[in-house]
Amino acid sequence: MLPTGHLMEARRMLSGYAVPLTPDGKSSLTPPPPWHYSGDCIAVEYWADPAAVAALLPIGLTPDEESEGRTFFWFLDWQFTGSNDEHTDPARYQYREAFILVEARLEGRPVNFCPFIFVDNDAAIARGWIQGYPKKLGSIYQTRSFSAPSAAACPLEPGSRFGASVSSHGERLATARIELREKVTDPAKVFNRPTTIRRYFPSLSGSQQGKPAVDELTLSLMDNLTFSDFWTGSAELSIPYVEGEDMDALAPREVGRGFRFGMSYSVSDLPVLKNYLA
Amino acid sequence: MLPTGHLMEARRMLSGYAVPLTPDGKSSLTPPPPWHYSGDCIAVEYWADPAAVAALLPIGLTPDEESEGRTFFWFLDWQFTGSNDEHTDPARYQYREAFILVEARLEGRPVNFCPFIFVDNDAAIARGWIQGYPKKLGSIYQTRSFSAPSAAACPLEPGSRFGASVSSHGERLATARIELREKVTDPAKVFNRPTTIRRYFPSLSGSQQGKPAVDELTLSLMDNLTFSDFWTGSAELSIPYVEGEDMDALAPREVGRGFRFGMSYSVSDLPVLKNYLA
Amino acid sequence: MLPTGHLMEARRMLSGYAVPLTPDGKSSLTPPPPWHYSGDCIAVEYWADPAAVAALLPIGLTPDEESEGRTFFWFLDWQFTGSNDEHTDPARYQYREAFILVEARLEGRPVNFCPFIFVDNDAAIARGWIQGYPKKLGSIYQTRSFSAPSAAACPLEPGSRFGASVSSHGERLATARIELREKVTDPAKVFNRPTTIRRYFPSLSGSQQGKPAVDELTLSLMDNLTFSDFWTGSAELSIPYVEGEDMDALAPREVGRGFRFGMSYSVSDLPVLKNYLA
Amino acid sequence: MLPTGHLMEARRMLSGYAVPLTPDGKSSLTPPPPWHYSGDCIAVEYWADPAAVAALLPIGLTPDEESEGRTFFWFLDWQFTGSNDEHTDPARYQYREAFILVEARLEGRPVNFCPFIFVDNDAAIARGWIQGYPKKLGSIYQTRSFSAPSAAACPLEPGSRFGASVSSHGERLATARIELREKVTDPAKVFNRPTTIRRYFPSLSGSQQGKPAVDELTLSLMDNLTFSDFWTGSAELSIPYVEGEDMDALAPREVGRGFRFGMSYSVSDLPVLKNYLA
């Protein structure tokens, strides 16, 4: 039986930005911000049913009538790092992501909102929920562009064809193809809306079960957002019905342009736009 | 351009217990409680460094000096269902889990605390964080017992040998073996401590980054906790050092008995024992 | 520069039943036979297009006209062991399987043939190709039956509902549901056909590319085949079209009975019925 | 009961380069050659125990005494395509690979031999066994270099640090880090040995169990082998002991240079150097 004093001395501060909290903080699912990201992206512009888009918006966002249901489906190969060279541990921190951004208005200003998002990594799920991205686990792939030439290289040039897909629990949720046509000189003409997300944490205790403990509309603030090698071309996209999901409510009625580009940014803060519990 | 009225009518209530919230609620990561579980379990009793156990306890829990670092490492094959026959969609809801329970005291009463836990399913991660289980993604396996006889059947009888393991990001975090010796007539003599957990949700916004938005000590309340086919025997356990984790702080100094049994319970509520933000 | 003699002494016999071969034989993908299996099975009886069944049969098998396209879709949770307690290393050797067996005739005798099969484990792929099961990698799940009671236990009794699914590369290939009704006293009335398979290993060298190096019709010989807890009931099955696959050629026209049972057998030999290269 | 004639007409030729063979050949695990590959590679030069290297060589290869156990550990992110734009289906065909190449002599000429190799894709396993690469299933990651700048971009410039790892069945088999220092003008000075491999297919039938059905020393012939962006720098590598594997026999005694580069080639043929069954 160890004396109390010895054990009380052992009780140092627990640390870690996310759970689990430990004395050395090494088990924490994700390090604290700033979070840095560089990646390759495939994005498909399309139009969904405007009523379905509207039906997904939380209070405080209104439908963007001019958009007529315009939506983007994104696929990303992401490299993450924090402050400790996390990018050199790709088994733990490299990941893939797929999400939808619908167009909306926040007090009249044009914004995007993210109603669906999938990643294949637990640290990414944690960072997502902390911000307001409703991340679920999925399996995501996109064709890559390699420098050594062959029929498999898929170089960044007109005619190159890329595919991308996201699946979850063994069901294909979305499949896309794009064919490059030309470079885009001003990516800001394509992507220029800030992204809003809903930070939400449920309750389970007694009478609180019906109300979340956290419910905020937040701004996905991207420091130093940079695009590179920005190409556009034609696209195809399908979002089939899957039992156990309802993302097919945003199935494409019409598909527009495809885009393939590099993107990077950092995350250091999360402005709260609305607190639904206040 | 659709008239505003049409779009405003489309804005029905969003529903879902967990994110993402949608009109039909079908994309929600997990259905609301009650949550029902039946499974097969392998548990290894062992003694860790009491100072390491003490160092993992949150405020409000004190070391259990009589335990001298007694700890249990659990491996579980779980079947989950809610209110809609979720158990008939095993690709989505069946999962495996591994965790550690350390012994502690809450205002003098004997309890367990869960500092580390891994699952291989996103709905399970969500239910975990909502309660206070600090779930991370892992790969878990345990030997099963099958009814059709062969050298591979591993029947529930003396001499049968079971293995179990948990890995994360390609690193083996724990490996166990047990060999059955005899049935246990009173499981309550083995497992009789309620489990406390820390429900914790980080913040990211400005000055709040250092403080979580939710931080509570909760009780993992198990309705109708039932054990079946409760066997005990000898055990082996290893918890190696892994870069990027610190669960090896609870590596075994001495290993005790192994247990293999069925277990079931339901979850309908989550008593809050302490609110660290109050 | 080490002397030749020292290095020549180091060159011991390489060992291992399957690749890779090493001095100690420990990296071999699978140990040599005998191979022992115990598992839980869900099987769905159905009728496919008899012409599609016939089109899948290799030379030497003829359509079984009386079967009228009768086919079984199987889902199995398998525990494997060899001669070294492999069953205690479930991360390496436990696996899941899904396959189709079509009915055919071999020189007038009723047999089954396996045209499609998926597993989630590399040792199982190896043992499959060695025998003649055309295994590909997939993700397979089936509802389990647990002993500790709850809404999630799915006991072996009338009314219990089981689900099963197989997916590959993120595409759902088949989904099944069964509902138990009654026990079956004589499983041999259900499963009484030996299974034939095609052992096939391609060539790549020069003029041989069009011809395999190994091409045999073999018998999947099962020693001590045993059934346990054999239940039957109603069933549902879907085999959708998936790009990159053509198993949907055997999509059900009509679904019959479902079965849920334990099964075990061992493999020690592989009779060759026909050598297509002879 | 369908008339025999109808069913016999349905029996078209089965097609497919690898199993399973079907009328339309769409389920075949891999299309036939030519096979095209472009990818990113990290390779670490090191010295293993020359006796351990020698012990892994098949008959016909002799130790390269001048090499003194020199070995390369490779990590590759591969894009594969055949003749049908397979690269646009990355979920099915994109994959990752890790392998070891040891130096040896074939009738006095310097060659490499591949004793260990892991991939995360079934089509890649099939192409591997068909050639002679003893592929097993694993989980492989390497740090990537992205064009959009951030702390996570890992650009191809001096000081950039890359990590790579391979795991199998939840056990870490090898971990590497490299730090770039300078470009290499002539990659052929680094990689100039042809690779030999052992094409091996076991038998299971009766008396043949001890002898494989196929056993050849083959040449991994690479058409149009091209390197790009060839960098070198310092390196670290560990290959720990793992139960169930014996690759740690080639654990590094000394680590040399690290390399990071693009590579591409095609496969259309497989010269047979020795037939061990002849």
Side-chain angles (χ1 to χ4, degrees):
Chain A
M1 195 177 305
L2 284 158
T4 313
H6 172 86
L7 291 175
M8 293 308 293
E9 282 168 35
R11 298 198 60 196
R12 327 189 290 279
M13 282 294 297
L14 290 164
S15 63
Y17 176 67
V19 294
L21 309 183
T22 62
D24 292 331
K26 289 187 185 169
S27 287
S28 177
L29 239 182
T30 181
W35 298 326
H36 310 289
Y37 302 88
S38 286
D40 285 337
C41 311
I42 288 175
V44 175
E45 168 194 50
Y46 76 97
W47 288 265
D49 173 1
V53 170
L56 284 163
L57 302 177
I59 302 292
L61 294 183
T62 54
D64 188 332
E65 294 171 38
E66 289 175 26
S67 296
E68 298 186 298
R70 197 169 89 133
T71 303
F72 279 83
F73 204 112
W74 287 69
F75 301 88
L76 307 89
D77 280 2
W78 269 138
Q79 188 143 276
F80 163 83
T81 204
S83 307
N84 281 291
D85 280 343
E86 284 81 359
H87 69 284
T88 64
D89 190 356
R92 188 171 290 279
Y93 288 113
Q94 199 184 80
Y95 70 104
R96 290 168 162 153
E97 189 166 78
F99 58 79
I100 286 182
L101 295 183
V102 297
E103 296 186 347
R105 294 262 164 177
L106 173 65
E107 291 149 12
R109 291 169 289 145
V111 297
N112 286 325
F113 176 71
C114 179
F116 300 105
I117 177 168
F118 296 84
V119 290
D120 62 0
N121 173 276
D122 53 355
I125 290 181
R127 290 191 303 269
W129 291 4
I130 291 168
Q131 298 176 77
Y133 283 103
K135 291 186 182 177
K136 303 205 290 182
L137 207 59
S139 189
I140 302 105
Y141 289 88
Q142 65 171 277
T143 303
R144 292 172 56 171
S145 184
F146 288 99
S147 58
S150 86
C154 208
L156 297 180
E157 58 183 51
S160 279
R161 300 181 53 224
F162 292 72
S165 64
V166 52
S167 300
S168 180
H169 300 291
E171 298 262 26
R172 179 60 63 82
L173 300 178
T175 309
R177 296 276 192 281
I178 69 172
E179 181 173 325
L180 303 189
R181 187 180 55 241
E182 63 201 11
K183 287 201 80 165
V184 171
T185 44
D186 189 4
K189 287 215 160 70
V190 183
F191 298 126
N192 47 41
R193 293 177 176 246
T195 297
T196 60
I197 41 183
R198 183 172 185 171
R199 175 176 146 89
Y200 189 96
F201 191 64
S203 297
L204 180 46
S205 304
S207 61
Q208 300 303 309
Q209 262 184 38
K211 292 189 322 234
V214 174
D215 192 1
E216 301 168 329
L217 187 71
T218 66
L219 181 72
S220 181
L221 191 62
M222 298 176 187
D223 306 335
N224 303 314
L225 175 62
T226 308
F227 296 106
S228 61
D229 298 327
F230 209 102
W231 283 78
T232 187
S234 60
E236 301 167 26
L237 175 69
S238 67
I239 304 175
Y241 167 75
V242 168
E243 184 147 346
E245 308 278 347
D246 52 9
M247 191 170 72
D248 66 300
L250 294 183
R253 290 180 157 186
E254 186 184 336
V255 178
R257 301 164 292 169
F259 301 92
R260 198 283 183 180
F261 51 95
M263 183 168 78
S264 61
Y265 64 84
S266 297
V267 175
S268 58
D269 198 358
L270 184 74
V272 176
L273 303 172
K274 291 189 183 303
N275 183 348
Y276 293 119
L277 301 177
Chain B
M1 195 176 305
L2 283 159
T4 315
H6 173 85
L7 290 176
M8 293 308 295
E9 282 167 34
R11 299 196 60 195
R12 323 191 293 280
M13 284 292 298
L14 290 164
S15 63
Y17 176 66
V19 295
L21 310 183
T22 61
D24 293 331
K26 289 187 187 170
S27 286
S28 175
L29 240 182
T30 181
W35 299 326
H36 310 288
Y37 302 87
S38 287
D40 286 337
C41 311
I42 288 175
V44 175
E45 167 194 50
Y46 75 99
W47 288 265
D49 174 1
V53 170
L56 284 163
L57 301 178
I59 301 292
L61 295 183
T62 53
D64 187 331
E65 295 169 37
E66 291 175 25
S67 297
E68 297 186 298
R70 198 169 88 133
T71 303
F72 279 84
F73 204 112
W74 287 70
F75 300 88
L76 307 88
D77 279 3
W78 269 138
Q79 188 142 275
F80 164 83
T81 203
S83 308
N84 281 291
D85 280 343
E86 283 82 0
H87 69 285
T88 64
D89 190 356
R92 187 171 290 279
Y93 288 113
Q94 201 183 78
Y95 70 104
R96 290 167 163 155
E97 189 165 78
F99 58 79
I100 286 181
L101 294 183
V102 297
E103 297 185 347
R105 294 263 165 176
L106 172 66
E107 289 150 14
R109 291 170 289 144
V111 297
N112 287 324
F113 177 71
C114 179
F116 300 104
I117 175 168
F118 296 84
V119 291
D120 63 0
N121 174 276
D122 53 355
I125 292 179
R127 291 190 303 269
W129 291 5
I130 292 168
Q131 296 176 79
Y133 284 102
K135 291 186 182 177
K136 302 206 290 184
L137 205 60
S139 189
I140 302 106
Y141 288 88
Q142 65 171 276
T143 304
R144 291 172 56 170
S145 183
F146 288 98
S147 58
S150 85
C154 207
L156 296 179
E157 57 185 51
S160 282
R161 301 180 53 224
F162 291 73
S165 63
V166 50
S167 300
S168 180
H169 299 292
E171 299 262 24
R172 178 60 61 83
L173 300 176
T175 309
R177 296 276 192 282
I178 68 171
E179 181 172 327
L180 303 189
R181 187 178 57 238
E182 64 203 9
K183 288 202 78 166
V184 170
T185 44
D186 188 3
K189 287 215 160 72
V190 183
F191 298 126
N192 47 40
R193 292 176 176 247
T195 296
T196 60
I197 41 183
R198 184 172 185 172
R199 177 175 144 90
Y200 189 96
F201 192 64
S203 297
L204 180 47
S205 304
S207 60
Q208 299 304 307
Q209 262 184 37
K211 293 190 322 232
V214 174
D215 192 1
E216 300 168 329
L217 187 71
T218 65
L219 181 72
S220 182
L221 190 62
M222 297 175 186
D223 306 335
N224 304 314
L225 174 63
T226 308
F227 297 104
S228 60
D229 297 328
F230 209 101
W231 282 79
T232 188
S234 61
E236 303 167 27
L237 175 69
S238 67
I239 304 176
Y241 167 74
V242 168
E243 185 147 345
E245 308 278 348
D246 52 11
M247 191 170 72
D248 66 301
L250 294 183
R253 291 180 156 184
E254 186 186 336
V255 178
R257 300 164 293 170
F259 300 93
R260 197 284 182 180
F261 52 95
M263 183 168 77
S264 62
Y265 64 84
S266 297
V267 174
S268 57
D269 198 358
L270 184 74
V272 176
L273 303 173
K274 291 189 183 303
N275 183 349
Y276 294 118
L277 301 177
Chain C
M1 194 177 308
L2 284 158
T4 315
H6 172 86
L7 290 175
M8 292 308 295
E9 283 167 34
R11 297 198 61 195
R12 327 190 292 280
M13 284 291 299
L14 289 164
S15 62
Y17 176 65
V19 295
L21 310 183
T22 61
D24 292 331
K26 289 187 185 168
S27 286
S28 177
L29 239 183
T30 181
W35 300 327
H36 310 289
Y37 303 87
S38 286
D40 286 338
C41 310
I42 288 176
V44 175
E45 167 195 50
Y46 75 98
W47 288 266
D49 174 1
V53 171
L56 284 163
L57 302 177
I59 302 292
L61 294 182
T62 53
D64 187 332
E65 295 172 37
E66 289 176 26
S67 297
E68 297 185 301
R70 197 168 89 132
T71 303
F72 278 84
F73 204 112
W74 287 70
F75 300 88
L76 306 88
D77 281 1
W78 268 139
Q79 188 143 276
F80 164 83
T81 203
S83 307
N84 282 290
D85 280 343
E86 284 82 359
H87 68 285
T88 64
D89 190 356
R92 186 170 292 278
Y93 288 114
Q94 200 182 80
Y95 70 104
R96 290 168 163 153
E97 188 166 78
F99 58 79
I100 286 182
L101 295 183
V102 297
E103 296 185 348
R105 294 262 165 177
L106 174 64
E107 291 149 11
R109 290 170 288 142
V111 297
N112 286 326
F113 177 71
C114 179
F116 300 105
I117 176 168
F118 296 84
V119 291
D120 62 1
N121 172 278
D122 53 355
I125 291 180
R127 289 190 305 268
W129 291 4
I130 291 167
Q131 296 176 79
Y133 284 103
K135 291 185 182 177
K136 302 206 290 183
L137 205 60
S139 190
I140 301 106
Y141 289 87
Q142 64 172 277
T143 303
R144 291 172 57 172
S145 184
F146 289 98
S147 58
S150 86
C154 208
L156 296 180
E157 58 185 50
S160 280
R161 300 181 53 225
F162 292 73
S165 63
V166 52
S167 301
S168 180
H169 299 292
E171 298 263 24
R172 178 59 63 82
L173 300 179
T175 309
R177 295 276 193 280
I178 69 171
E179 181 172 326
L180 304 189
R181 187 178 57 239
E182 64 203 8
K183 288 200 79 168
V184 170
T185 44
D186 188 5
K189 287 214 160 71
V190 183
F191 298 125
N192 47 41
R193 292 176 176 249
T195 297
T196 61
I197 40 184
R198 185 172 184 170
R199 176 175 146 88
Y200 189 95
F201 193 63
S203 298
L204 181 45
S205 305
S207 60
Q208 299 304 309
Q209 263 185 38
K211 293 192 320 236
V214 174
D215 192 1
E216 301 168 329
L217 188 72
T218 65
L219 182 72
S220 181
L221 190 63
M222 299 175 185
D223 307 336
N224 304 315
L225 174 63
T226 308
F227 297 105
S228 60
D229 298 328
F230 209 102
W231 283 78
T232 188
S234 61
E236 302 168 26
L237 175 69
S238 67
I239 304 176
Y241 167 76
V242 168
E243 185 146 344
E245 307 279 348
D246 52 10
M247 191 169 73
D248 67 301
L250 295 183
R253 291 180 158 186
E254 185 184 337
V255 178
R257 300 163 293 171
F259 301 92
R260 197 283 181 181
F261 50 96
M263 183 168 78
S264 61
Y265 62 85
S266 297
V267 174
S268 58
D269 197 0
L270 183 74
V272 177
L273 303 173
K274 290 189 184 303
N275 183 347
Y276 294 118
L277 301 178
Chain D
M1 196 176 305
L2 284 158
T4 315
H6 173 85
L7 291 175
M8 292 308 294
E9 282 168 33
R11 299 197 60 196
R12 325 191 290 281
M13 284 293 298
L14 289 164
S15 62
Y17 176 66
V19 293
L21 309 184
T22 61
D24 293 330
K26 290 187 185 168
S27 286
S28 177
L29 241 183
T30 181
W35 300 325
H36 310 289
Y37 302 88
S38 287
D40 286 337
C41 310
I42 288 174
V44 174
E45 167 195 48
Y46 76 97
W47 287 267
D49 174 2
V53 171
L56 283 163
L57 301 178
I59 301 293
L61 295 183
T62 52
D64 187 333
E65 295 170 38
E66 290 176 26
S67 296
E68 298 185 300
R70 196 170 89 133
T71 303
F72 278 84
F73 204 112
W74 287 70
F75 300 88
L76 307 88
D77 280 2
W78 267 139
Q79 188 143 276
F80 163 84
T81 203
S83 307
N84 280 291
D85 281 342
E86 283 82 358
H87 69 284
T88 64
D89 190 355
R92 188 170 290 278
Y93 288 114
Q94 200 184 79
Y95 69 104
R96 291 167 162 153
E97 189 166 79
F99 57 80
I100 287 181
L101 294 183
V102 297
E103 296 185 347
R105 295 262 164 177
L106 172 66
E107 290 150 13
R109 291 170 288 143
V111 296
N112 286 325
F113 176 70
C114 178
F116 300 105
I117 176 169
F118 296 85
V119 291
D120 63 0
N121 173 278
D122 53 355
I125 292 179
R127 290 190 304 270
W129 291 5
I130 291 168
Q131 297 175 79
Y133 284 102
K135 291 186 181 177
K136 301 206 290 183
L137 206 60
S139 190
I140 301 107
Y141 289 88
Q142 64 171 277
T143 303
R144 291 172 57 171
S145 184
F146 287 98
S147 59
S150 85
C154 209
L156 296 180
E157 57 185 51
S160 281
R161 301 179 53 224
F162 292 72
S165 63
V166 52
S167 300
S168 180
H169 299 292
E171 298 263 24
R172 178 61 62 82
L173 300 177
T175 310
R177 296 275 193 281
I178 70 172
E179 181 171 328
L180 304 188
R181 186 178 56 239
E182 64 201 11
K183 288 201 78 168
V184 170
T185 45
D186 188 4
K189 288 213 160 74
V190 183
F191 298 125
N192 47 41
R193 291 175 177 248
T195 298
T196 60
I197 40 182
R198 185 172 184 172
R199 175 174 145 91
Y200 189 96
F201 192 64
S203 298
L204 181 44
S205 304
S207 60
Q208 300 303 310
Q209 262 183 38
K211 294 190 320 235
V214 175
D215 193 0
E216 301 168 330
L217 187 70
T218 65
L219 181 72
S220 182
L221 190 63
M222 297 175 186
D223 305 334
N224 303 313
L225 175 62
T226 308
F227 296 105
S228 61
D229 297 328
F230 209 102
W231 283 78
T232 188
S234 60
E236 301 167 26
L237 176 68
S238 68
I239 304 176
Y241 167 75
V242 168
E243 185 147 343
E245 307 279 349
D246 51 11
M247 192 169 72
D248 66 301
L250 295 183
R253 290 180 157 185
E254 185 186 337
V255 179
R257 301 163 292 171
F259 301 93
R260 197 281 182 182
F261 51 95
M263 184 168 77
S264 63
Y265 63 84
S266 297
V267 175
S268 59
D269 197 359
L270 184 74
V272 176
L273 304 172
K274 291 190 183 302
N275 182 348
Y276 294 117
L277 301 178

